[in-house]
Amino acid sequence: MAKMEVKTSLLDNMIGVGDMVLLEPLSEDSFINNLKKRFDHSEIYTYIGSVVVSINPYRPLPIYSPEKVEEYRNRNFYELSPHIFALSDEAYRSLRDQDKDQCILITGESGAGKTEASKLVMSYVAAVCGKGAEVNQVKEQLLQSNPVLEAFGNAKTVRNDNSSRFGKYMDIEFDFKGDPLGGVISNYLLEKSRVVKQPRGERNFHIFYQILSGASEDLLNKLKLERDFSRYNYLSLDSARVNGVDDAVNFRTVRNAMQIVGFMDHETQSILEVVAAVLKLGNIEFKPESRVNGLDESKIKDKNELKEICELTGIDQSVLERAFSFRTVEAKQEKVSTTLNVAQAYYARDALAKNLYSRLFSWLVTRINESIKAQTKVRKKVMGVLDIYGFEIFEDNSFEQFIINYCNEKLQQIFIELTLKEEQEEYIREDIEWTHIEYFNNAIICDLIENNQTGILAMLDEECLRPGTVTDDTFLEKLNQVCATHQHFESRMSKCSRFLNDTSLPHSCFRIQHYAGKVMYQVEGFVDKNNDLLYRDLSQAMWKANHSLIKALFPEGNPAKINLKRPPTAGSQFKASVATLMKNLQTKNPNYIRCIKPNDKKAAHIFNEALVCHQVRYLGLLENVRVRRAGYAFRQPYELCLERYKMLCKQTWPHWRGPARAGVEVLFNELEIPEEEYSFGRSKIFIRNPRTLFKLEDLRKQRLEDLATLIQKIYRGWKCRTHFLLMKRSQIVIASWCRRYAQQKKYQRIKSSAIVVQSYIRGWKARKLLRELKHQKRCKEAATTIAAYWHGTQARRELRRLKEEARNKHAIAVIWAYWLGYKVRREYRKFFRANAGRKIYEFTLQKIMQKYFLEMKNKMPSLSPIDKNWPARPYLFLDSTHKELKRIFHLWRCKKYRDQFTDQQKLIYEEKLEASELFKDKKALYPASVGQPFHGAYLEISKNPKYKKLKDAVEEKIIIAEVVNKINRANGKCASRIFLLTKNNVLLADQKSGHIKSEVPLGDVTKVSMSSQNDGFFAVHLKEGSGAAGKGDFLFSSDHLIEMATKLYRTTLSQTKQKLNIEISDEFLVQFKQDKVCVKFIQGNQKNGNIPTCKRKNNRLLEVAVP
């Protein structure tokens, strides 16, 4: 029986208030107290309508298990307790079922858990979407892009051990079924100043420490690095180690993630070389020198570091050394070269390090996008996930904080606009009267920053571009002139007299009244950071590098493409990026996650009310609640409302047969709720005051207790009656068993008595029969004994007679032998006296040789040339004769064997010999092919009427006709094709229709590649630029690989007089259109017997799984 599903609600077993819209009374204190109460009970998620407020617990919680994923899957948003999975499921189902593009905006300050929240959203979507090999590969690549970006873009700060120092927006693309196809990542404003300088208590980017901790000694030697952190000036030493973080393990994780995403080994090596070069740039130091003309210039103190950097990057040492000492300025047709002093040289060094790392990070994002982008061109649905830095208010706020807070102003603006828009659309959709809601519109602050004429960014760009002396102070004076009267701008030197006495505002600062509060910015560094200049000499030096990656990072260094136009400033670039982001977000349905940091100690179970209150204010959460409560605080579909409260009315309990809206109307009339407290929409009931909802909940709770009592009463009665009936049935069963037992015992006694009587009678009969049989046996044995004795006597008499005859015959033979011996000795006695020894020797030798040849005749081996048997040598003096006879015999039987061959058989053995020279001890498949004859024409095209059309199309003699599996270049799938080899061409035809698909002249075939494994996979390489090479090289799989390669080799040699290159390797390159793809053979379990399985991993790798 299926387990009954128990439906719950947001209002069930609620700790505090799960939805802040229902908070009563609503104030800042009650808001904070409700968050604290839920946080103390490990409830870190709270709703504000459809917005999720997340508090970082700083400890693992058991609320992200696969069971939790299934619990929130395909459930209503308000059906379960607040959770980030509920918002993720709502966004995914809206995208999949309603065809609405989604975006999830995750905001909050550093350390609030934004990055972890984005990972949870992606992991949930990956868990609930479809399954399959290709889908799982896409999901794995999307998930594994996070460790790579975190290693290069995250760092330890005083607020967060894994702080994202860049903004990330990922568009995940889905097909019509909701399965992921790929993704696109956009990055915003990497904090590249961290490369050269870190605040106290913070670290540089993770990747620097991971390489030094986790790289092998061999890799460190190749990168010319040492494991000691103190050797590098760009690494802060006070926070080099982070508690709970193993940089060595993380480095291995990053390397594995890069491989999964699709980075080739040489690309990974190039990336690590660039990172090492950045790290070693910080060790270059300069010393001052005076020239003859009185100008100061700088020289490098120790050139060993410079030499190692040049060896890593492939740059001429003299070129890079000059770029650090001189600066060339071009104006129209003139070039002016000036020397750099020590301060300018250090600025150039740091600028190069920052630009090198920043461009490497942008290249990484682009490279990841190439791997994870959707391969198909079908219409896609998009879910965007925005993980961007939150509002920042530090003790010292500079250009980076100004840009970050500007981005948050834009996000707050779109948040308020979209929230009001969503609220208004729901009221209109439900036919509820819409009332205007007063709220603070921060458009005036955005205009102060981004206005094209009088905005702060425009003033900063204008100041950077104007001729003359430009400093941060002149920029501040410009702001004082233009923005003096703006109500959200304050400055000590402003013309507005009300700020002249504000001693808390230094002279070199200005203050902006943001939506989250006042922030004071120090203008020092604004102009330099906005310019973000890299001297053209350094760009050209980088472009001259032999390192392909570094050369690609500095395209402006190409002398042929010199552009004298000033590059766009950092502020204008970020402003354009934010505008593009806002435009993108406005086309999607928004979902919000507001992240809050409970304390600055990064410790669990600590809730700092002042810190949380500050974040609640600048996130505008209280204002968001007021917007949601301006009309109706709670709304719910009629079906769910009736299902939850139907027990409060006799007419609706237990079942309501009519429409759900009519049932809700009857319910509310029965409960006498005032009409001004609710309103009926098209599909939902709207409740104005949270007190009304809590009253309904109290009535429901009391009614549930009454229903529970009634259920208990009925259950107890049922249980007692069931027990009584069970006892009654048991008594009947026991009585029947007792009666049966008594009858069984009586029957057993009668049966045993009958058996005893029967046994006695059978015993008497058996003994009588036994006596009769014994008497008959004794009579037969007596007659047999008498006959045996008589036969024995007769046999002994005959034996004595035969022995006597034998003795007589033997005596005659002995006498005759002695007589013959006597006659011979008397005849030859005269000869033995003179040369008896020699005669005996020759006679003996003649007899031995005669015996040897007669034995050899009987022991000759078979006539098979491969039979290695030969009789053993009988005498030592016949050793040379014995070996010579063996050799002569082998040559003779080989000739006899060859004489049997026809011309066709000779051709076959020549091909077998050629195959042995090509594949023996190289290809594991070769031994199995030795015993198989080479037929060539496996399809018998001339006899099969199905291939008549193909036979007519091919005029030449067909050497091979075989069905092969052609491998699709895009996805690795197989298709059957007829492979034809003639004297001049290789043809591919369709197996069903016989239509010729491809025709390749033998002169265009350059090479055949295959693995050393026991598989039939091979690649036919074509000459570049030939007509047949339009789509690239061919990949095949055949059961007769050895025969096909041998015949192709012999035919090509015969026609072109050139040997065809046969490459046997477990990893080789093939050409697919314009791309070179690596074919790699791996061991794997085969579902289709010994047929290799091909899988396209990415744009540059094709894996072939062989048994």
Side-chain angles (χ1 to χ4, degrees):
M1 181 177 179
K3 183 178 179 181
M4 182 179 294
E5 181 182 358
V6 179
K7 291 189 177 181
T8 59
S9 169
L10 172 69
L11 302 170
D12 288 333
N13 303 320
M14 189 166 56
I15 298 173
V17 179
D19 190 346
M20 288 294 188
V21 176
L22 305 177
L23 187 63
E24 190 69 24
L26 177 62
S27 65
E28 189 175 85
D29 292 338
S30 63
F31 191 98
I32 302 300
N33 290 334
N34 187 56
L35 287 178
K36 184 176 186 303
K37 183 177 181 180
R38 293 179 61 79
F39 178 79
D40 292 341
H41 289 81
S42 298
E43 292 286 343
I44 64 172
Y45 297 113
T46 308
Y47 290 157
I48 301 178
S50 60
V51 177
V52 175
V53 179
S54 170
I55 303 180
N56 192 344
Y58 287 116
R59 61 191 175 98
L61 294 176
I63 58 174
Y64 307 110
S65 62
E67 292 76 16
K68 276 289 181 183
V69 172
E70 289 301 319
E71 182 179 346
Y72 280 86
R73 186 173 185 175
N74 295 326
R75 302 296 285 268
N76 184 275
F77 185 75
Y78 296 103
E79 192 172 339
L80 301 175
S81 58
H83 201 291
I84 194 172
F85 286 170
L87 180 137
S88 304
D89 186 74
E90 184 77 11
Y92 176 71
R93 286 191 293 113
S94 297
L95 176 138
R96 182 191 64 192
D97 302 336
Q98 302 177 20
D99 203 17
K100 293 181 179 178
D101 288 350
Q102 304 289 316
C103 64
I104 299 178
L105 308 182
I106 307 173
T107 56
E109 70 173 49
S110 179
K114 301 185 299 299
T115 301
E116 290 301 318
S118 67
K119 291 180 183 177
L120 290 171
V121 170
M122 293 178 65
S123 63
Y124 179 85
V125 173
V128 301
C129 64
K131 301 292 187 290
E134 294 183 5
V135 173
N136 290 339
Q137 180 183 351
V138 171
K139 291 192 290 188
E140 188 67 15
Q141 287 185 333
L142 290 174
L143 294 176
Q144 290 300 324
S145 64
N146 281 324
V148 179
L149 293 179
E150 286 184 14
F152 287 86
N154 289 24
K156 178 202 178 297
T157 65
V158 293
R159 297 186 175 186
N160 187 2
D161 290 343
N162 188 32
S163 176
S164 297
R165 307 318 299 162
F166 70 102
K168 181 179 73 172
Y169 177 73
M170 174 182 281
D171 268 336
I172 308 174
E173 299 173 336
F174 298 83
D175 62 9
F176 70 96
K177 304 189 300 294
D179 294 339
L181 297 173
V184 179
I185 299 174
S186 303
N187 66 301
Y188 302 95
L189 195 66
L190 177 72
E191 188 188 10
K192 57 184 177 183
S193 60
R194 180 172 293 272
V195 174
V196 299
K197 184 179 180 181
Q198 304 92 43
R200 190 171 189 81
E202 299 189 2
R203 292 206 315 177
N204 210 323
F205 292 103
H206 292 327
I207 188 62
F208 295 112
Y209 304 91
Q210 291 174 358
I211 289 179
L212 298 181
S213 300
S216 63
E217 293 296 335
D218 182 53
L219 180 58
L220 286 178
N221 292 334
K222 290 181 180 178
L223 299 178
K224 304 186 184 304
L225 296 176
E226 299 180 20
R227 211 174 286 280
D228 185 8
F229 293 163
S230 62
R231 295 278 299 168
Y232 304 100
N233 298 331
Y234 279 166
L235 300 184
S236 59
L237 299 179
D238 54 342
S239 301
R241 303 288 182 184
V242 181
N243 294 332
V245 176
D246 191 335
D247 289 318
V249 173
N250 290 343
F251 180 70
R252 291 191 291 271
T253 302
V254 171
R255 292 289 297 269
N256 182 57
M258 293 178 77
Q259 185 177 7
I260 293 174
V261 170
F263 284 86
M264 307 298 285
D265 290 342
H266 68 87
E267 290 178 326
T268 304
Q269 183 66 24
S270 298
I271 292 168
L272 297 181
E273 289 172 353
V274 174
V275 174
V278 172
L279 200 56
K280 296 182 76 65
L281 275 174
N283 292 348
I284 296 179
E285 297 182 348
F286 303 92
K287 60 182 179 181
E289 283 192 6
S290 297
R291 303 181 69 180
V292 178
N293 56 8
L295 296 176
D296 292 335
E297 68 175 7
S298 60
K299 293 291 184 181
I300 297 175
K301 289 183 180 180
D302 185 3
K303 296 185 180 181
N304 287 332
E305 293 286 351
L306 181 66
K307 178 182 177 183
E308 291 182 352
I309 292 174
C310 293
E311 290 175 356
L312 273 174
T313 57
I315 303 175
D316 187 354
Q317 183 174 343
S318 61
V319 173
L320 187 57
E321 184 177 1
R322 175 176 174 79
F324 280 134
S325 303
F326 295 88
R327 179 187 180 188
T328 303
V329 179
E330 297 185 21
K332 296 183 179 179
Q333 302 298 326
E334 298 181 1
K335 289 186 179 180
V336 179
S337 180
T338 60
T339 59
L340 300 179
N341 58 32
V342 172
Q344 291 172 331
Y346 277 115
Y347 173 82
R349 179 200 69 177
D350 292 344
L352 176 60
K354 291 187 291 184
N355 272 272
L356 192 57
Y357 192 83
S358 174
R359 296 182 187 205
L360 172 64
F361 186 79
S362 299
W363 182 88
L364 271 174
V365 173
T366 304
R367 179 65 182 82
I368 291 173
N369 285 337
E370 289 180 5
S371 293
I372 67 175
K373 67 181 180 181
Q375 300 296 325
T376 58
K377 296 183 180 180
V378 298
R379 182 179 176 273
K380 310 175 187 71
K381 306 175 184 179
V382 178
M383 176 185 289
V385 180
L386 177 65
D387 174 12
I388 202 164
Y389 11 62
F391 199 87
E392 291 188 349
I393 305 177
F394 297 144
E395 186 174 342
D396 295 327
N397 301 289
S398 186
F399 179 74
E400 290 86 0
Q401 283 69 45
F402 176 75
I403 290 295
I404 289 171
N405 293 342
Y406 161 61
C407 180
N408 278 272
E409 285 285 357
K410 296 294 291 182
L411 288 174
Q412 177 67 10
Q413 183 182 22
I414 195 174
F415 171 70
I416 294 296
E417 290 178 357
L418 293 178
T419 301
L420 287 174
K421 181 181 178 183
E422 181 184 1
E423 191 80 0
Q424 185 176 8
E425 286 178 352
E426 183 172 16
Y427 276 49
I428 295 173
R429 187 170 58 250
E430 294 293 330
D431 202 14
I432 301 294
E433 183 179 356
W434 169 257
T435 56
H436 181 71
I437 299 175
E438 294 293 337
Y439 67 95
F440 171 68
N441 189 348
N442 67 335
I444 187 173
I445 304 175
C446 297
D447 185 70
L448 169 65
I449 298 173
E450 68 181 4
N451 188 283
N452 292 330
Q453 301 298 327
T454 60
I456 295 176
L457 287 176
M459 296 299 102
L460 181 58
D461 287 349
E462 182 179 332
E463 195 68 14
C464 291
L465 297 175
R466 74 174 178 83
T469 304
V470 178
T471 64
D472 297 318
D473 293 333
T474 59
F475 165 60
L476 184 58
E477 291 176 4
K478 185 79 172 180
L479 291 182
N480 291 335
Q481 294 174 6
V482 177
C483 305
T485 59
H486 199 287
Q487 58 180 338
H488 291 275
F489 178 84
E490 302 174 10
S491 171
R492 182 72 176 266
M493 300 302 295
S494 171
K495 294 180 180 179
C496 187
S497 60
R498 60 194 176 102
F499 301 121
L500 290 177
N501 298 323
D502 188 356
T503 57
S504 65
L505 191 63
H507 288 278
S508 62
C509 299
F510 65 91
R511 183 185 293 142
I512 293 180
Q513 176 70 44
H514 288 283
Y515 77 92
K518 294 183 178 181
V519 182
M520 183 176 68
Y521 300 100
Q522 294 183 353
V523 295
E524 181 182 356
F526 260 63
V527 173
D528 286 341
K529 292 176 181 177
N530 189 50
N531 273 326
D532 194 22
L533 287 179
L534 179 66
Y535 296 151
R536 183 175 289 111
D537 301 73
L538 289 171
S539 297
Q540 293 177 350
M542 293 296 105
W543 188 83
K544 293 177 181 178
N546 291 329
H547 197 283
S548 59
L549 177 55
I550 292 180
K551 190 166 187 172
L553 295 180
F554 293 88
E556 75 277 9
N558 187 352
K561 299 180 180 179
I562 291 180
N563 185 6
L564 299 180
K565 184 178 179 181
R566 188 183 183 92
T569 61
S572 61
Q573 291 182 46
F574 188 74
K575 177 182 173 183
S577 299
V578 169
T580 304
L581 176 63
M582 296 301 114
K583 184 177 180 181
N584 190 1
L585 295 180
Q586 286 176 342
T587 62
K588 296 178 173 62
N589 185 50
N591 303 271
Y592 301 97
I593 301 175
R594 301 295 210 178
C595 297
I596 293 178
K597 181 171 63 173
N599 59 76
D600 279 328
K601 299 179 180 179
K602 295 179 279 189
H605 306 293
I606 298 178
F607 189 91
N608 188 327
E609 295 187 13
L611 178 63
V612 173
C613 181
H614 173 69
Q615 295 174 76
V616 168
R617 286 175 183 172
Y618 79 65
L619 287 173
L621 300 184
L622 217 60
E623 189 171 49
N624 187 19
V625 177
R626 293 193 180 101
V627 168
R628 287 299 303 264
R629 289 181 55 159
Y632 294 89
F634 183 78
R635 70 286 315 266
Q636 192 175 34
Y638 291 122
E639 293 79 7
L640 297 179
C641 181
L642 183 62
E643 181 68 23
R644 185 166 183 83
Y645 302 113
K646 65 182 179 179
M647 73 285 297
L648 301 180
C649 175
K650 293 182 179 180
Q651 299 179 47
T652 57
W653 178 257
H655 299 292
W656 173 256
R657 303 299 180 184
R661 172 170 176 166
V664 174
E665 291 177 354
V666 170
L667 176 64
F668 276 50
N669 291 333
E670 179 74 17
L671 296 176
E672 298 180 353
I673 298 175
E675 293 184 0
E676 62 271 10
E677 286 296 319
Y678 62 89
S679 181
F680 293 104
R682 295 180 184 275
S683 62
K684 296 181 181 179
I685 176 72
F686 288 75
I687 298 176
R688 187 179 299 277
N689 200 309
R691 287 192 298 271
T692 304
L693 181 65
F694 293 142
K695 177 184 176 182
L696 289 172
E697 284 296 312
D698 292 338
L699 292 174
R700 179 178 180 272
K701 183 177 180 182
Q702 182 61 41
R703 180 59 178 159
L704 287 176
E705 292 177 358
D706 297 339
L707 290 174
T709 303
L710 177 62
I711 293 171
Q712 287 176 348
K713 180 182 71 173
I714 296 174
Y715 171 74
R716 288 179 184 136
W718 170 84
K719 186 175 181 181
C720 290
R721 176 167 176 79
T722 303
H723 181 68
F724 166 74
L725 294 175
L726 179 62
M727 294 290 289
K728 182 179 179 181
R729 288 195 299 270
S730 301
Q731 186 271 334
I732 294 173
V733 171
I734 292 171
S736 65
W737 275 81
C738 288
R739 287 193 292 270
R740 188 183 71 172
Y741 176 74
Q743 292 298 323
Q744 283 179 342
K745 294 295 289 183
K746 182 179 179 181
Y747 167 75
Q748 291 293 341
R749 287 196 298 271
I750 296 173
K751 182 179 179 181
S752 60
S753 300
I755 290 173
V756 170
V757 173
Q758 289 176 351
S759 65
Y760 274 100
I761 294 174
R762 293 193 185 104
W764 173 76
K765 288 183 176 181
R767 287 191 293 274
K768 180 180 179 182
L769 179 61
L770 179 61
R771 285 193 294 269
E772 294 176 355
L773 293 175
K774 283 183 176 180
H775 178 70
Q776 294 176 3
K777 182 179 179 182
R778 281 195 294 270
C779 292
K780 291 180 180 179
E781 287 177 351
T784 302
T785 301
I786 294 169
Y789 274 99
W790 168 248
H791 290 294
T793 302
Q794 294 292 334
R796 285 190 291 273
R797 290 176 182 175
E798 183 65 21
L799 178 62
R800 285 194 295 271
R801 186 183 65 78
L802 293 175
K803 285 183 178 180
E804 186 65 28
E805 290 181 358
R807 280 196 295 271
N808 295 335
K809 290 181 180 180
H810 179 66
I812 294 171
V814 170
I815 294 169
W816 175 251
Y818 272 99
W819 167 247
L820 291 178
Y822 170 75
K823 286 176 66 176
V824 170
R825 285 191 296 275
R826 190 175 60 181
E827 180 69 24
Y828 289 95
R829 186 174 299 157
K830 57 184 177 181
F831 300 110
F832 287 154
R833 290 173 184 170
N835 53 357
R838 186 172 61 84
K839 291 288 185 178
I840 293 172
Y841 171 77
E842 291 176 354
F843 177 82
T844 305
L845 188 62
Q846 182 182 6
K847 290 297 181 181
I848 289 174
M849 292 298 293
Q850 183 180 10
K851 181 181 179 182
Y852 169 72
F853 283 115
L854 289 174
E855 289 178 352
M856 285 292 292
K857 176 183 178 182
N858 298 328
K859 295 181 180 180
M860 278 293 178
S862 66
L863 294 180
S864 174
I866 61 174
D867 187 0
K868 296 183 180 181
N869 294 325
W870 187 249
R873 180 194 63 200
Y875 303 102
L876 182 61
F877 73 94
L878 293 175
D879 183 68
S880 59
T881 304
H882 195 70
K883 291 180 179 179
E884 184 64 18
L885 282 175
K886 180 180 179 180
R887 185 184 70 82
I888 294 172
F889 178 80
H890 181 68
L891 293 176
W892 173 77
R893 68 181 177 182
C894 286
K895 182 179 182 304
K896 296 287 287 184
Y897 189 82
R898 287 194 301 270
D899 291 340
Q900 299 174 5
F901 290 169
T902 62
D903 293 339
Q904 183 66 24
Q905 289 177 321
K906 289 181 180 180
L907 178 61
I908 292 174
Y909 279 97
E910 288 175 0
E911 291 179 345
K912 286 288 185 178
L913 183 60
E914 193 78 51
S916 174
E917 294 175 356
L918 291 173
F919 303 105
K920 187 176 181 181
D921 299 328
K922 299 178 183 178
K923 177 72 175 174
L925 186 66
Y926 171 74
S929 71
V930 173
Q932 298 177 357
F934 288 175
H935 294 302
Y938 289 93
L939 295 183
E940 297 183 350
I941 292 178
S942 60
K943 299 179 181 180
N944 195 335
K946 178 181 177 181
Y947 302 119
K948 184 176 183 303
K949 181 179 178 182
L950 180 60
K951 177 186 174 183
D952 296 337
V954 179
E955 298 178 357
E956 299 174 308
K957 179 184 177 181
I958 297 175
I959 300 173
I960 290 180
E962 164 70 348
V963 176
V964 299
N965 289 320
K966 179 179 175 293
I967 310 302
N968 190 291
R969 301 179 180 92
N971 53 25
K973 295 183 178 179
C974 299
S976 295
R977 292 286 186 272
I978 296 176
F979 183 98
L980 299 178
L981 173 64
T982 65
K983 290 185 177 180
N984 297 310
N985 298 292
V986 174
L987 299 97
L988 291 178
D990 187 81
Q991 185 183 8
K992 295 182 179 179
S993 63
H995 179 70
I996 295 177
K997 295 285 189 179
S998 302
E999 183 173 355
V1000 181
L1002 289 180
D1004 291 345
V1005 179
T1006 61
K1007 184 171 64 173
V1008 175
S1009 298
M1010 63 189 70
S1011 74
S1012 62
Q1013 308 293 327
N1014 192 14
D1015 64 281
F1017 187 97
F1018 67 102
V1020 178
H1021 301 265
L1022 305 181
K1023 184 187 298 182
E1024 292 187 7
S1026 64
K1031 295 184 179 179
D1033 301 336
F1034 289 101
L1035 300 179
F1036 300 106
S1037 176
S1038 172
D1039 295 333
H1040 303 91
L1041 169 61
I1042 302 298
E1043 179 182 356
M1044 295 181 72
T1046 303
K1047 288 183 179 291
L1048 183 59
Y1049 175 89
R1050 288 173 58 85
T1051 307
T1052 305
L1053 179 62
S1054 173
Q1055 294 301 316
T1056 63
K1057 307 304 179 183
Q1058 295 179 354
K1059 292 185 177 181
L1060 179 63
N1061 185 12
I1062 304 292
E1063 179 185 1
I1064 301 177
S1065 173
D1066 289 341
E1067 187 172 345
F1068 52 82
L1069 294 175
V1070 294
Q1071 183 78 26
F1072 287 171
K1073 293 186 179 178
Q1074 303 301 323
D1075 299 326
K1076 284 192 178 294
V1077 178
C1078 177
V1079 179
K1080 186 175 182 180
F1081 291 82
I1082 60 173
Q1083 297 293 326
N1085 296 325
Q1086 304 304 308
K1087 299 180 180 178
N1088 300 324
N1090 291 330
I1091 299 177
T1093 304
C1094 303
K1095 184 182 293 183
R1096 188 73 179 267
K1097 302 295 288 184
N1098 52 54
N1099 292 342
R1100 293 181 173 85
L1101 180 62
L1102 178 70
E1103 284 189 356
V1104 182
V1106 298

